[in-house]
Structure formats: structure tokens, C-alpha cells
Amino acid sequence: MSDHARALAAMRAVLGAEGVRADQATLERYAISCSGDGTRALAVAYPVHTGQVVALVDIARAHGLPIYPISTGKNWGYGDACAPTDGQVIIELSRMNRIVHVDPVLCYAVVEAGVTQGQLSAHLRAHFPQCWADCTGAGPDTSLVGNIVERGFGHSPYGDRARHVAGMQVVLANGELLDTGFGHYPNAQARYLFPYGIGPFLDGLFTQSNFGIVTQVGIWLMPAAPCINHFVCRLEDHADIGPVVDALRPLRLDGSLRSVIHIGNDLRVLASAQVSPQPSAALDGTSRAALRARAGVGAWTVSGAVYGSVRQVALARHALRQALRATRARPHFISERKLAALALAAKALAMLPVARSWTARVALGRALLDMNRGIPDARFLAGAYWRRRGGLPADFPAGADPARDGCGMLWLSPILPLRGDHLLFVHALVEPVFAAHGFDLFATYSMVNERSLCAIFSIVFARDDASEMERAKRCQREAFGVLMQAGYVPYRVGLASMAQLDPAADAYWRTVGAIKQALDPAGIMAPGRYAPAPPATRRPASP
Amino acid sequence: MSDHARALAAMRAVLGAEGVRADQATLERYAISCSGDGTRALAVAYPVHTGQVVALVDIARAHGLPIYPISTGKNWGYGDACAPTDGQVIIELSRMNRIVHVDPVLCYAVVEAGVTQGQLSAHLRAHFPQCWADCTGAGPDTSLVGNIVERGFGHSPYGDRARHVAGMQVVLANGELLDTGFGHYPNAQARYLFPYGIGPFLDGLFTQSNFGIVTQVGIWLMPAAPCINHFVCRLEDHADIGPVVDALRPLRLDGSLRSVIHIGNDLRVLASAQVSPQPSAALDGTSRAALRARAGVGAWTVSGAVYGSVRQVALARHALRQALRATRARPHFISERKLAALALAAKALAMLPVARSWTARVALGRALLDMNRGIPDARFLAGAYWRRRGGLPADFPAGADPARDGCGMLWLSPILPLRGDHLLFVHALVEPVFAAHGFDLFATYSMVNERSLCAIFSIVFARDDASEMERAKRCQREAFGVLMQAGYVPYRVGLASMAQLDPAADAYWRTVGAIKQALDPAGIMAPGRYAPAPPATRRPASP
């Protein structure tokens, strides 16, 4: 029996035979990646509580076996459920899906690592309608904790998710169970209320790292707002977006707009409702213009939401209109009332052809408003299917899973200053790279905080076309290099880009390496994840 | 020549003879602490730029000499400028006081560690009046970076200071210069705009720790608001405060109130304008009631500010009034217009006795409004002088320095859930402890975020009375124990309490110890600061 086989046997002794799988079908399923760079795990383990996670870590350490924690494994295009290298044991936390506690007075939920955003949202609607969670556009089946530790962001005033958590529970490589914040003190009253605790504030260490397995988090919830208006502005010309960004910045800075504002280009909006009419190549200018005209989509679509009392929302609408007066953007507001009226009209005039488009608009409006109050919708995953040769699957959006459905997707996500000139400059940097490689440029710029934009560029390709996949990877590498060169560093990377993060062997990554060495001297925890330095440059492991 | 003498000589070779002082007068000045527990430094070094800090660290490491960084050394009552133990070399960063850059468009300032809040405030008023910094009540001469790394808080929407910084520069014990966030990438465009960077987010590690010397920080500024109203509510009866806390919580949670709200008891307010009429003991009930009646002060005073456009402020005032309707609090608003009218009236009726009190009210109102927009005022330090036998010094508040002026002060600062019942419970916990030891209970409860209150209790005593000082220390230890027992853990501690932070030798502090060992194996950096574990329990230093 090899050492690895002994390790798996020990894991089975803890989890039961069904709790550790190493059959072909399972390993193949976990080897799928939208990026086309899947790796093959040694096995997949499914703990159901924290004590089992500790036991798995202890076994891994005893046998020098690398383990790779995922929550639901839907990190599509950033590596999906795959470990950076072959042969790691995936620890999937999806069965640790307890919503441990919700406090509707102080507005927070304590959730285990496997809880999905759809699950929390449904739980709140059923039991605590006075609280809303933030949600992303990635659909109901994605994990909250997984996204938070990747520092993902959503659509609400709590969209900067890592800023709206307190009290992590982390299993360290040495098998210790670490409670951050005040959680390590008995009976701590403010465990989920005050993130810092006393002494060094460690939570940041367990985001975008391989320092520990986060098994539980306190997530802050928003109080349900009496009124929401979603707003949308359409801009006809590309250059119009610069002044709009500059006009909206003061509203983000002074708190008039507290939610994440998203700015999508024409292709991003088009791809949310259809697949490419010519999926084997990028759209030419004429087809793109025709599609845009037919769908009534501008060069840019700015969208966001305002929350509050009826009077606060009215004031925010006024501030938004005033701020945009000098630009070419005119906000259109979507409210519950407007949607109800449109739905009624569509029903009354059901015999007219226009009614169908009204019904579609009501459905989209409802999905957008719902997302603003934390109800996720898989329909926003449609973009991943843009160049899928078979189009959208029959069961879309219900069972949407871009990885399983053969979608190819790679991301570039640089951060830039919240200024119109930077947006236009960055867009002009990446546009020729995408064009040269034959890919449509999907672009969203999100005001993820008051001072910065997060650009999300996706390269969507057909994973079953090997040469297209190679081109996609080249496109990604080249654009990554161009952006880094210009000082636009990504907020998040996929497995393929991790090795590129430390070209200069700098003090930051050396410090990260020293901390890794201290917390995981044997290097069993997710080796390669946010760890660009080659092992050779690290200090030797202590005995 | 001893090894320490050689180290000091090497430091002098770098900074010049004047840059390293070890004369009696200097060492005595730095040994003063409001807590009465001063320690004596070996020397005090005054670097003027980061390169010199690196050189000092290298020398300290080479000679095994402990160093203790301070910025301006005004951590009054929490240890002041003193190191935890005798014989450390204090590295005072007050000469590194460059305001490196201000960006008035994206609203941030880059400051060195020695910049004071008065200095930044004056700089902004002179050159960038469109930007405001947060400020604390600790007067203009206190350091911004020193307070931020202690996770102090101020009065504005940016009062949770550690949440409003991006891009730290840190000198590590190994002599490396670490730029956090994106700062370690060449030409990073969002260095001061997006705190996380890519990879593990390290900033929290350098707050309340001894892991490095923070020499520079990007501090986010607020856009100047067109309108501010300060508000004050007076509550006659102690128990009235519970419902008020519960009525204000929803306004903090839904973003209607974005600034830190402070709730002070009668003594806290009284002590801001006078010293005790009987400084040798705690006030008896009759004297306290008389003082309160004379000054027109209630059992509790709630204060805060609303910011925005004239219409936004009007709406926030409305929301505040509505929320408080079911309580006994009635907010009084202080605006520029009201102050101007009162000042005019006081001038016109200067012959009437009432005019003097009006003039005083105008001055106080102005100081409060100014603090809301980042202009610090030393007058708020008066509380430290409450039991000083000589009363307020002649030059108060201009040159206020509680340590130099002989004030005795110790703090307790537990965090509690933002609920009225917790406030009343915690207050009832500490009140008998203060009474038993003969001290007036000064209490402020600040809504430092949307879900928690930070209680600040100060024990003010006469430092020249040895037995009173001993009683103060006993009172502090006892109240600390009572609070910890009940799960109310402090957000910050003084040097005397650091050893009490890890009664259970728990996983959090073991993890902190492991990181310390990795970053500073020789233990030269501020040994004892936020490091409760006795050295014997740490792993031996690597060679």
C-alpha cells in the first residue's frame, strides 16, 4: 500500500467510504475547467463538519499529501474546482452547508463554507424577510464563503464582500482551529459584529491565500430597504462613458450612491440574452452594429441601484439626474410600481406583438431588482455560452453550469482608478489584443469601492475547439502582460496566472512565503494557490 | 564598549549625533506615562526618512537590541511613548512628517508616520479645501498613522480609520521594505485606491502588532460636504439611553447615519469643561447632581453629525426625529447658520450676563462642527485633568499634554453589541467597580460601526498621589477582569493589560506567535507589544 493509499484509507476511516471518492467519473468531473486547463485530483473528500476537516488536515500532514479546499467548486474560468497541480486531494465543503444562525436585529448570518447564495437568500425570504444578503451575478448555486475568500463582489451596498464579514473560523495546516476577531475568547459578545478583535487583524490573511481552510464566517446582512430603484443608462457612443464615470464618482464618494455601479459594453449586454450568431469567430463591426440596433443596446450600459425610504430614493434619483445632466446619460429607473404597470399592460395587450417584448422586459427588470436585494438568478451566466456551438442548453438557466456545459472562459480583472480617462485608456489597451486573437471583448467596469473600478474582461471560447482554446490562452497571457506593464494589476487571478504574479521576486511575496512557511511548513495546503514563488526559492521545511 | 553602546554608535553614524539621544532629560521625558507605569528607554532615535528606519532596524538586528517605534508618542493612558519593558531603543518617527501627496479628485492623502492630524487638517484647509480628513478628540498634535495602527476611531463617516486606508509601507524586522496592496508592483495605478491588492491581504497584520514599522500610509479623505449639522440629545434619566440606542441602530444599519455616534454620560460631558470640585475623591451623588443641574447636563448626551447636500441633511434630520419619537431624546441641531445667529446675538447683547454663556456655546458648537469636518481641537483633552490637583494648566488647551502635565489616566475599552440592553448591562458591571475604588466613572459609548458600540471608560487619577495611583491600577485590573469574564473584550489595550490578553494560550495567539517568529525571529521589534505569550513558550529562534 503506497503512502497516498494509506492516507486515503485513513480519510475513509473518518468520512466513511462514500465520503472519499476516487472513481474515474468523479475525478473526471472535477478535472473539468472552463479555462481548459483542468488538473486531475487524487481523490475528492466531502467532510460534513469542521472536526472532519481537522482530521483530514491531520492525515494530509502526516502523509505529506497536498489538499485543496473548495466550497462548491464553481470558480468558473478562474480554475473552477481544480487544484493548481495534479494529484492533490480536493476537500469539497459543499456538505458543510448549515446556516448556523441569523440575527435579524444586528443583521448578520453565520454560515458554513458550503452555503450557497441561493440557499441563504431563500432562508432569509422564508424566515427573516427584514434582512437581505448581497449577491453576485454568478447564479444561486455558488458559494458565499468561496466567493468571499476570493474577494469577489456583488451588486448591493454590501458588494465589497470582504468588508462585510466578521468572525472567521479557519482550520490551519497544523490542525488548529483558529477563530479570528473576538471569536477565540469564551463567550465573546461581539464575535460577529466587530471584525478586528484585539491584536493583529488576521482575516485578510485567509483571503486569496493558501494559509488555511475557512470553514465558517459571519456575514453582515443589509436591512431590507422599504424602496429600491434599479437604474439603467444607455450611451450611444464609446467615448461618452468617460464623462459619465467622472460625473458618478462624486456620488460614490459622498455616499449618495452606496451600491456597486456596473458599466457594461454592448457585447456584455447582448450576451446576457443570446449567443453569438457567428460563434466561430469574433463579430465583425457590421454584425455587431446590427445586433446592437436590433436589441436597442448602446455602446455602454450603466446600471446600479438606489436604496432607502421612498424619500431617500427620490432624493438619490434627483442627485443622479443632476450629476448626469452635463453628460449624455439619462437614467431610467425600474421600480416595483413600474414593473407591475408594465406587466399589466403586457397582459392586457397580449394579442399585440409588442407585448412579448414587454413581458421579457418585466422578467429582466424583476431579475435585476431581485439581484439588488440578494436574490440570485442564473440567467446572468448566459455570457459564458456566447460561442458555445450548441447555443444555450435546453435547461438554461435552471441548471446552468458553464463547466459541465463545455463553455470556455478566461478572465482578466484589473483594478483602475475610478476615472473616465483610465477606463478609456485601459479599454484601448485590451481591445486590439482581443481583436488580434479573434475574440469578442466583453467588458464590465464596476465601481467596487468609492475610488476604483474593477474591470472584468472575459475571453469566451469554444472549449471543444483546441486551436481556439490555444488562442484564448495566448490572448489572456498577452493582455495580462500589457495590463501589468501599464500598472493595472488584477484583483483576482485564475490558476494559470498565479505563476505570473511575482515577476520581480519582491518583498511582498517573500513575506507571504515566510508566513506560509510558518503556518504550513510541509506545504500541504493548496500548494501553488496565490503562491507564485517556485518552491526552490523557499526556505527548506523544518523537520 | 558594550554591544549596546556599539549599536548606539552605529545608529549615530547613520542619523548624526543629534539623531540619537540618551541624555537623562530625554530619557526621563520618554519615561513619563499617564498610566503611571513608565519604562526607561536605552535611547531615542529620530530618523527623518525610511532609509534611516531600515538602517536602524538592521543595526538593531545585528546587535540583538530591541527597538520600539512610536510616531509622536501621544498614546496617552495606553502606554504613552513608553516601550513595554526598560532598555528598548525608541524609534520616534515624528520627523518623518511629509505629506507626500494629496489627490483631491480621488480623495486621498499619502502621509508619513509622523504627520499629525492638525498638520494634515491645516494642509487640506490651505490647499485642498474640497477634502476633509477624519479626526479624533485627542487634539491636533497626535499622529494619524500611530492612531490608525492602533485602530483608533474618530467622529466622521470615515471614523473607522483602519477601513479607510490603502497602501502601507512597512519596514520589517529583516530590513525589508514592504509595500502592501498593489504598491509592490511597479507603476501600480490603484496603489492607494484599492486596499487588498492581489494575494493575501496583509494590512491588518500591521495593526495592533509588533510585526513591522509602518512608515507611510494612503489615507482616504471625505469630499467636503456642502452641509453639516451636528446634533445633540440630552437624556435626563439613566435608563432612557437603552431605547435611544435601539432607535438609532436602524439608522446606522440602513446608512441614514453614516458617522460615528457618541453617547457620553454626565461626567464625561462635565469634565470636558471643568475639573472636579473635589479632586481628592469621587463625586458624591449630591455634588454630582448639583454640577449637572448647574451645567444643564443630562444623565446622557448623544451626539453625532449628518453630512450631505442641504436636502440630504434635511432628510436625515427628519429620519432622526422620526426614529427618536418613541424615546425621550429630542435632537438639537447645530448648524453654521445657527452658530452665526447666536454669535451675533451674543455680540449685540454683550452687556447681559447671558451673553457670556452664549459666547461659550458658540465656541463649543464651532469646535464640534469643526471636529466633524476634520479640524481637531485640544479642548477635548480636558477630561484627563479632572482630578489634577492644580486644575487645568494656564496654557490649556494650546499646549495640552496630559503626560507632561502630570495627569493620571487608564482606559478600559470593551466592544459590545449595538443594543440598549448591552449598554445598560455593561454600565452596571463597571459602575460598582469604579465606586468601590473611589473613582468617577467617565463613560462614552461610540457606534464605531453599524453593529457594535465601543465603550470608553477612563479612570482619571492624580499621578502624584501614589496610593491613588495604586487604587487606579487595581480598579483597572478588576474592571478588565469583570468585562472579559462577561465576554466584553477590549478593542485596544494599554501596555499594562497586554499580558492579560491570552489567559487560555489559545490558537489565535499561538498563530500570532508563529507569524512573529517568521517575521522577526530575533524578537527585536517592540517585544511585548500585543504579544502576551511569554517568550518561553515560543519556538527557539532560528540561527
Side-chain angles (χ1 to χ4, degrees):
Chain A
M1 207 179 193
S2 76
D3 200 36
H4 283 176
R6 275 195 299 273
L8 292 188
M11 288 177 174
R12 283 199 180 93
V14 173
L15 301 188
E18 268 310 286
V20 182
R21 297 211 192 129
D23 58 285
Q24 289 293 21
T26 299
L27 297 185
E28 271 163 28
R29 205 166 63 246
Y30 283 81
I32 296 175
S33 169
C34 287
S35 65
D37 270 333
T39 56
R40 202 173 168 89
L42 183 69
V44 185
Y46 303 87
V48 299
H49 60 72
T50 304
Q52 291 185 341
V53 177
V54 171
L56 292 173
V57 168
D58 287 341
I59 293 166
R61 199 177 58 253
H63 294 83
L65 181 64
I67 51 177
Y68 188 75
I70 63 173
S71 42
T72 58
K74 304 201 187 301
N75 199 14
W76 293 310
Y78 283 112
D80 300 67
C82 298
T85 57
D86 289 336
Q88 306 195 20
V89 174
I90 291 174
I91 313 282
E92 178 175 313
L93 305 173
S94 64
R95 294 186 189 173
M96 290 180 57
N97 62 352
R98 278 190 315 144
I99 297 171
V100 179
H101 179 63
V102 173
D103 183 327
V105 174
L106 291 160
C107 287
Y108 67 90
V110 181
V111 303
E112 288 187 334
V115 172
T116 65
Q117 55 179 5
Q119 184 191 349
L120 179 60
S121 168
H123 184 74
L124 294 177
R125 270 174 294 159
H127 305 291
F128 303 99
Q130 64 273 57
C131 295
W132 294 345
D134 178 71
C135 89
T136 72
D141 298 336
T142 53
S143 154
L144 288 164
V145 172
N147 186 260
I148 288 166
V149 300
E150 276 295 286
R151 299 199 297 256
F153 58 91
H155 289 73
S156 71
Y158 284 26
D160 185 354
R161 292 176 154 203
R163 291 253 151 155
H164 295 91
V165 298
M168 288 185 172
Q169 190 168 78
V170 188
V171 176
L172 300 175
N174 62 5
E176 293 221 82
L177 191 59
L178 167 68
D179 287 293
T180 68
F182 288 136
H184 56 101
Y185 290 108
N187 194 28
Q189 303 284 343
R191 177 171 183 174
Y192 301 113
L193 307 175
F194 185 82
Y196 306 134
I198 180 86
F201 176 43
L202 300 186
D203 285 17
L205 275 190
F206 301 103
T207 62
Q208 294 189 356
S209 80
N210 59 5
F211 295 162
I213 303 177
V214 178
T215 52
Q216 187 178 293
V217 168
I219 295 181
W220 289 352
L221 306 172
M222 290 170 282
C227 182
I228 299 189
N229 275 196
H230 190 85
F231 67 85
V232 177
C233 313
R234 166 180 159 174
L235 290 163
E236 287 313 317
D237 295 326
H238 173 68
D240 288 347
I241 192 61
V244 171
V245 169
D246 294 326
L248 292 176
R249 183 181 53 244
L251 300 187
R252 277 294 272 154
L253 280 167
D254 74 13
S256 298
L257 286 181
R258 292 184 298 119
S259 68
V260 176
I261 311 297
H262 297 271
I263 301 170
N265 72 346
D266 53 350
L267 288 170
R268 180 71 78 196
V269 176
L270 287 168
S272 70
Q274 62 178 114
V275 296
S276 176
Q278 47 178 75
S280 58
L283 284 182
D284 60 273
T286 320
S287 317
R288 183 168 167 179
L291 273 188
R292 245 166 80 171
R294 182 142 41 106
V297 169
W300 294 100
T301 301
V302 181
S303 71
V306 290
Y307 296 71
S309 65
V310 172
R311 291 173 68 174
Q312 284 170 334
V313 168
L315 197 52
R317 286 170 60 142
H318 174 76
L320 194 59
R321 282 214 186 84
Q322 286 290 109
L324 292 173
R325 242 179 15 182
T327 74
R328 300 181 67 180
R330 294 293 169 267
H332 295 274
F333 293 94
I334 302 170
S335 62
E336 283 296 339
R337 227 174 42 187
K338 226 188 232 181
L339 281 185
L342 194 60
L344 208 67
K347 210 169 159 189
L349 304 175
M351 69 289 305
L352 299 185
V354 74
R356 240 180 93 186
S357 95
W358 289 357
T359 305
R361 276 167 63 192
V362 169
L364 176 61
R366 169 135 332 277
L368 289 169
L369 269 184
D370 277 353
M371 193 155 63
N372 295 143
R373 59 184 157 221
I375 305 171
D377 196 318
R379 65 154 64 209
F380 300 111
L381 291 169
Y385 296 77
W386 179 250
R387 279 173 84 160
R388 184 168 183 264
R389 300 302 190 251
L392 287 172
D395 63 348
F396 188 88
D401 184 334
R404 183 207 57 198
D405 295 337
C407 302
M409 192 160 52
L410 287 166
W411 305 95
L412 292 149
S413 43
I415 298 286
L416 42 152
L418 209 171
R419 294 177 58 130
D421 51 358
H422 280 275
L423 188 160
L424 292 169
F425 181 77
V426 163
H427 203 78
L429 273 183
V430 296
E431 206 162 36
V433 181
F434 274 64
H437 292 86
F439 291 103
D440 296 308
L441 172 57
F442 297 94
T444 312
Y445 297 87
S446 300
M447 300 186 186
V448 66
N449 67 25
E450 298 82 8
R451 288 165 183 79
S452 53
L453 287 169
C454 181
I456 303 284
F457 305 122
S458 41
I459 305 169
V460 178
F461 59 96
R463 223 167 65 211
D464 50 10
D465 180 331
S467 87
E468 189 170 311
M469 186 157 83
E470 272 318 303
R471 265 192 295 124
K473 291 181 189 171
R474 278 203 306 277
C475 179
Q476 205 269 351
R477 274 196 303 273
E478 193 176 320
F480 189 94
V482 165
L483 288 164
M484 285 291 270
Q485 182 77 30
Y488 299 100
V489 187
Y491 94 102
R492 178 177 180 182
V493 295
L495 295 180
S497 306
M498 300 224 172
Q500 290 170 267
L501 286 178
D502 188 23
D506 66 32
Y508 168 82
W509 287 108
R510 279 196 300 275
T511 305
V512 168
I515 295 170
K516 174 68 175 173
Q517 178 64 26
L519 298 183
D520 180 17
I524 55 152
M525 188 78 83
R529 181 157 194 84
Y530 289 106
T537 68
R538 297 194 202 149
R539 286 184 295 163
S542 56
Chain B
M1 207 178 191
S2 76
D3 200 35
H4 283 177
R6 274 194 299 274
L8 292 188
M11 288 180 173
R12 284 200 180 91
V14 173
L15 302 187
E18 267 311 286
V20 182
R21 296 210 193 128
D23 58 286
Q24 289 292 22
T26 299
L27 297 185
E28 272 163 27
R29 205 165 66 246
Y30 283 81
I32 296 174
S33 168
C34 287
S35 66
D37 271 331
T39 57
R40 201 171 169 90
L42 183 69
V44 185
Y46 302 87
V48 298
H49 60 72
T50 303
Q52 290 185 341
V53 177
V54 171
L56 292 173
V57 168
D58 287 341
I59 293 165
R61 200 178 56 253
H63 293 84
L65 182 63
I67 51 177
Y68 189 75
I70 62 172
S71 42
T72 59
K74 304 201 187 301
N75 199 14
W76 294 310
Y78 282 112
D80 301 67
C82 298
T85 57
D86 290 335
Q88 305 195 22
V89 174
I90 290 173
I91 313 283
E92 178 174 314
L93 305 172
S94 63
R95 295 185 188 173
M96 289 179 58
N97 62 351
R98 278 190 316 143
I99 296 170
V100 178
H101 179 62
V102 173
D103 183 325
V105 174
L106 291 160
C107 287
Y108 67 90
V110 181
V111 303
E112 288 187 333
V115 172
T116 64
Q117 55 179 5
Q119 182 192 349
L120 179 60
S121 168
H123 184 74
L124 294 177
R125 270 175 292 159
H127 304 292
F128 304 98
Q130 65 272 56
C131 295
W132 294 346
D134 177 72
C135 89
T136 72
D141 298 336
T142 54
S143 155
L144 288 164
V145 173
N147 186 260
I148 288 166
V149 300
E150 276 295 286
R151 300 199 296 256
F153 57 91
H155 288 71
S156 72
Y158 283 26
D160 185 353
R161 291 176 155 202
R163 291 255 152 153
H164 294 91
V165 298
M168 289 185 171
Q169 191 167 77
V170 188
V171 177
L172 299 174
N174 62 4
E176 293 221 81
L177 192 59
L178 167 68
D179 287 293
T180 69
F182 288 136
H184 57 100
Y185 289 108
N187 195 27
Q189 303 284 343
R191 177 171 184 175
Y192 301 112
L193 308 175
F194 184 82
Y196 306 134
I198 179 87
F201 176 43
L202 300 185
D203 285 17
L205 275 190
F206 301 104
T207 62
Q208 294 190 356
S209 80
N210 58 7
F211 294 162
I213 302 176
V214 179
T215 52
Q216 188 178 292
V217 169
I219 296 180
W220 289 352
L221 306 172
M222 289 169 283
C227 181
I228 300 189
N229 275 198
H230 190 86
F231 66 86
V232 178
C233 312
R234 166 180 158 173
L235 289 164
E236 287 313 317
D237 295 326
H238 173 66
D240 289 347
I241 192 62
V244 171
V245 169
D246 294 326
L248 292 176
R249 183 183 53 245
L251 300 187
R252 278 293 272 156
L253 280 168
D254 74 12
S256 297
L257 286 180
R258 292 184 298 118
S259 68
V260 176
I261 311 298
H262 297 271
I263 300 170
N265 72 347
D266 54 350
L267 289 170
R268 181 72 78 197
V269 177
L270 288 168
S272 70
Q274 61 178 115
V275 295
S276 173
Q278 48 178 74
S280 57
L283 283 182
D284 60 274
T286 320
S287 317
R288 185 167 164 178
L291 273 188
R292 244 166 82 170
R294 183 140 41 105
V297 168
W300 293 100
T301 301
V302 181
S303 71
V306 289
Y307 297 71
S309 66
V310 171
R311 292 173 67 174
Q312 284 169 334
V313 167
L315 197 52
R317 286 170 60 142
H318 175 75
L320 195 58
R321 281 211 187 86
Q322 286 291 108
L324 292 173
R325 241 176 17 178
T327 74
R328 300 181 68 180
R330 294 293 168 267
H332 294 273
F333 293 93
I334 302 170
S335 63
E336 283 296 340
R337 226 173 44 188
K338 225 187 231 179
L339 281 185
L342 194 60
L344 209 67
K347 210 169 158 187
L349 305 174
M351 69 290 303
L352 299 185
V354 74
R356 242 180 90 186
S357 97
W358 289 357
T359 306
R361 277 167 62 192
V362 168
L364 176 61
R366 169 136 332 277
L368 289 170
L369 269 184
D370 278 353
M371 193 153 65
N372 294 142
R373 59 184 155 222
I375 305 172
D377 195 318
R379 65 154 65 208
F380 300 110
L381 291 169
Y385 296 78
W386 178 250
R387 279 174 82 159
R388 184 170 183 263
R389 301 301 190 252
L392 287 172
D395 63 348
F396 188 88
D401 183 335
R404 184 208 56 199
D405 295 337
C407 302
M409 192 159 51
L410 286 166
W411 305 96
L412 292 148
S413 42
I415 297 286
L416 44 150
L418 208 172
R419 293 176 57 129
D421 52 358
H422 280 275
L423 188 158
L424 291 170
F425 182 77
V426 164
H427 203 78
L429 273 184
V430 296
E431 206 162 35
V433 182
F434 275 63
H437 291 86
F439 292 103
D440 297 307
L441 172 57
F442 297 94
T444 312
Y445 296 87
S446 300
M447 299 186 187
V448 66
N449 67 26
E450 297 83 6
R451 288 164 182 80
S452 54
L453 287 169
C454 181
I456 303 283
F457 305 122
S458 41
I459 305 169
V460 178
F461 59 95
R463 222 166 66 212
D464 51 11
D465 179 331
S467 87
E468 188 169 312
M469 186 156 84
E470 272 318 303
R471 264 192 297 125
K473 290 182 189 173
R474 278 203 306 275
C475 179
Q476 205 269 350
R477 275 196 302 273
E478 194 176 319
F480 190 94
V482 165
L483 289 164
M484 285 291 269
Q485 182 78 30
Y488 299 100
V489 187
Y491 95 104
R492 178 177 180 182
V493 294
L495 295 181
S497 306
M498 300 224 172
Q500 290 169 267
L501 285 179
D502 188 22
D506 67 33
Y508 169 82
W509 287 108
R510 279 197 300 275
T511 305
V512 168
I515 296 170
K516 175 68 175 175
Q517 177 66 25
L519 298 183
D520 180 15
I524 55 152
M525 190 77 85
R529 181 157 195 84
Y530 288 106
T537 67
R538 296 195 204 149
R539 287 183 296 163
S542 57

